[in-house]
Amino acid sequence: MPRNNPSSAVAMRAVTLLLIVFAWVVTGAPARAAEPTAVAAPASGAPSTAIHELRIYHCMPGRLPDLHKRFETVTLKIWEKHNIRPIAFWTVVVGDSNQDLYYVLEWNSMAEREQAWTAFATDPEWIEKRIESEKNGPIIERVSNLFLQPTRYSKIR
C-alpha cells in the first residue's frame, strides 16, 4: 500500500483503532502498544492457534439498518447452528463511512472456517432469508475481510 495514498492511511488508522478497541473489549483493559505483555500459553503449553477474521460490510446507501435487522433476526441464529462464533460488532462513529459494519469472528483453524462458512453460505434457510431481506435491492455493496492471528505477546488469544 503506497504511503502517499491518504485513503489507505485513513483505512489503516481505522483498522488499528478497531483492533485497539477489540483488545479493550475482549480483555477489559486498554491495549498498549508501547509495552506488550506476555500471555501464558494454553494449559497444553502449545501456542494459540486462534484465528480472528475481521469482516467489513460496506452497505449500499441507507441500507445499514436493514443489515442490522438481518443480523438480529436471522444471521446470528443460523451462525449458531453452524458454530460460527462472533466476538464483537461495531459501526463507524467517526471515519470514512457510517454505512459500514465491522465484526470479528473467531476460528480454531482455517479448515474450520472453510467448513463452517461453506455450510452457512449454502444453508437453504440462509439463502431464503437473504433473498427475502434483499427484496428492495442489495444490502451490501462489498465485503472486505482480513485473517488475523495473535502474536505471542498479545493479550487476545
Side-chain angles (χ1 to χ4, degrees), residues 3 9 27 42-43 72 93 99 111 118 124 142 149 156:
R3 289 183 182 201
T27 65
E72 292 168 350
V93 175
Q99 293 297 303
T118 299
R142 65 186 168 87
Q149 187 167 14
I156 300 170

Side-chain angles (χ1 to χ4, degrees), residues 56-111:
I56 307 166
Y57 286 2
H58 307 276
C59 290
M60 299 297 289
R63 297 302 306 270
L64 184 60
D66 296 319
L67 181 61
H68 287 311
K69 180 179 179 184
R70 186 166 74 188
F71 266 96
E72 292 168 350
T73 62
V74 175
T75 308
L76 294 175
K77 292 173 188 165
I78 298 173
W79 279 4
E80 193 172 316
K81 178 169 67 171
H82 295 290
N83 198 30
I84 295 175
R85 298 179 306 278
I87 301 298
F89 296 84
W90 298 273
T91 55
V92 176
V93 175
V94 177
D96 290 343
S97 172
N98 64 357
Q99 293 297 303
D100 295 343
L101 175 67
Y102 288 70
Y103 68 92
V104 174
L105 301 173
E106 182 176 65
W107 305 104
N108 292 323
S109 68
M110 291 300 285

Side-chain angles (χ1 to χ4, degrees), residues 17 37 41 51 63 90 98 103 130 144:
L17 179 59
T37 304
I51 297 169
R63 297 302 306 270
W90 298 273
N98 64 357
Y103 68 92
R130 187 190 72 229
S144 303

Side-chain angles (χ1 to χ4, degrees), residues 122-139:
T122 59
D123 184 301
E125 180 185 6
W126 165 245
I127 293 168
E128 176 188 336
K129 298 290 187 177
R130 187 190 72 229
I131 290 170
E132 183 181 311
S133 72
E134 294 181 338
K135 66 181 178 269
N136 295 323
I139 293 175

